[in-house]
Amino acid sequence: TETITVYDVTEEDITGILIETADRTLNFTKHADVWNLEGYDQNDISQTKVKSLASSISSITSSTKVEDSIENCGLDTPQITVKVTLLSGNTDVIKIGDLSPVLDQYFCTVNDGEIYTMYSFKVDDILKEASYYTDFSRLELVGEEIYDIKVERGGKTTMHLTQKQQADDYMSSWQITEPFKNTYSAIDEMVTQEFLDPLSGLSVNILAANDADTGLGNPKAVVTILSAPISEEDGSRGETVTTVLKIGNTKADVTYVEYNGAAYEVD
């Protein structure tokens, strides 16, 4: 029942993770707090997922110390070898052997030290393939952080919604500034339903085929979104992020969307 600390470093101290198995090698390196995976473009890698891997590896605990030989535990020819490079320049080596016949845990050593068991969920984290780290939305919009939405069609603004500096007596926090001559209060529930929720749930992760008829050369619409993080302390907004989406053709259940110069298939 006692928890034993097998490995403990800070996530921030990890600058490299090399995972070697019988059928693949994943080599993660960090530069200026940005993670890279060898063989892939930096923009094709989920920073969140790699940080989660680093966090998982940084702290390894065990329920059991094992009094047995490395041969009996499969550690003479480990199934997985993880080399963790630290800011200091040192490299720690985590070896993972066989699955225990008694516990649903794996045998492991750190720097060829004592043998411990390692929880299976930690091993599952380490065994994820490269495709796991490339499957993510390139765009992450948070509804409550959005404060300005402009929709243009044919070079004309057909809808411009802005969040008021201060809600009026009717508690409306959004207003329509274009295309009408006057400014009108918007129905907040409609803004949330028609704009904020869809934008927050927008998944931009599947690149369009090179020969796809995207229609993005002459987009049907251009959507410009301004957003900024909100301080939990005083409610002030941080630095503004401008997101531009070009909307192209729709075929079946797919609409082509251009974001950061690349075309994607979006539901």
Side-chain angles (χ1 to χ4, degrees), residues 211-215 220 248-256 266:
D211 58 352
D213 181 18
T214 64
K220 294 179 179 179
N249 293 336
T250 296
K251 295 189 176 181
D253 294 329
V254 169
T255 294
Y256 294 106
V266 175

Side-chain angles (χ1 to χ4, degrees), residues 71-100:
E71 291 81 8
N72 285 345
C73 296
L75 289 165
D76 52 338
T77 55
Q79 295 187 48
I80 311 165
T81 300
V82 183
K83 297 178 181 178
V84 183
T85 304
L86 304 174
L87 273 173
S88 62
N90 294 333
T91 298
D92 293 323
V93 180
I94 303 166
K95 294 180 181 178
I96 302 170
D98 295 340
L99 185 67
S100 165

Side-chain angles (χ1 to χ4, degrees), residues 117-158:
T117 58
M118 184 175 182
Y119 294 109
S120 295
F121 73 88
K122 288 280 188 180
V123 179
D124 291 341
D125 288 342
I126 293 169
L127 282 177
K128 286 181 169 59
E129 298 187 16
S131 57
Y132 169 77
Y133 299 97
T134 60
D135 182 17
F136 68 102
S137 178
R138 271 65 173 174
L139 175 63
E140 294 183 358
L141 291 168
V142 179
E144 64 183 17
E145 296 181 357
I146 297 172
Y147 66 88
D148 191 289
I149 305 167
K150 183 167 68 172
V151 182
E152 298 171 284
R153 294 175 180 268
K156 296 181 180 180
T157 299
T158 57

Side-chain angles (χ1 to χ4, degrees), residues 119-258:
Y119 294 109
S120 295
F121 73 88
K122 288 280 188 180
V123 179
D124 291 341
D125 288 342
I126 293 169
L127 282 177
K128 286 181 169 59
E129 298 187 16
S131 57
Y132 169 77
Y133 299 97
T134 60
D135 182 17
F136 68 102
S137 178
R138 271 65 173 174
L139 175 63
E140 294 183 358
L141 291 168
V142 179
E144 64 183 17
E145 296 181 357
I146 297 172
Y147 66 88
D148 191 289
I149 305 167
K150 183 167 68 172
V151 182
E152 298 171 284
R153 294 175 180 268
K156 296 181 180 180
T157 299
T158 57
M159 177 69 74
H160 193 176
L161 290 160
T162 61
Q163 202 170 61
K164 297 177 181 177
Q165 294 289 340
Q166 187 173 357
D168 58 25
D169 294 339
Y170 297 99
M171 301 304 293
S172 173
S173 57
W174 284 88
Q175 59 189 2
I176 303 172
T177 60
E178 294 183 83
F180 311 114
K181 292 182 180 180
N182 298 320
T183 296
Y184 295 94
S185 291
I187 301 172
D188 291 350
E189 291 79 2
M190 292 297 292
V191 175
T192 299
Q193 177 181 326
E194 301 296 332
F195 287 92
L196 302 184
D197 286 349
L199 287 171
S200 297
L202 194 63
S203 181
V204 179
N205 62 348
I206 302 175
L207 286 166
N210 292 330
D211 58 352
D213 181 18
T214 64
L216 290 167
N218 184 26
K220 294 179 179 179
V222 177
V223 184
T224 303
I225 303 130
L226 304 183
S227 61
I230 301 173
S231 170
E232 294 182 359
E233 295 181 359
D234 58 10
S236 62
R237 290 189 179 275
E239 185 176 353
T240 295
V241 175
T242 302
T243 302
V244 179
L245 304 174
K246 294 181 180 179
I247 315 300
N249 293 336
T250 296
K251 295 189 176 181
D253 294 329
V254 169
T255 294
Y256 294 106
V257 175
E258 181 179 312

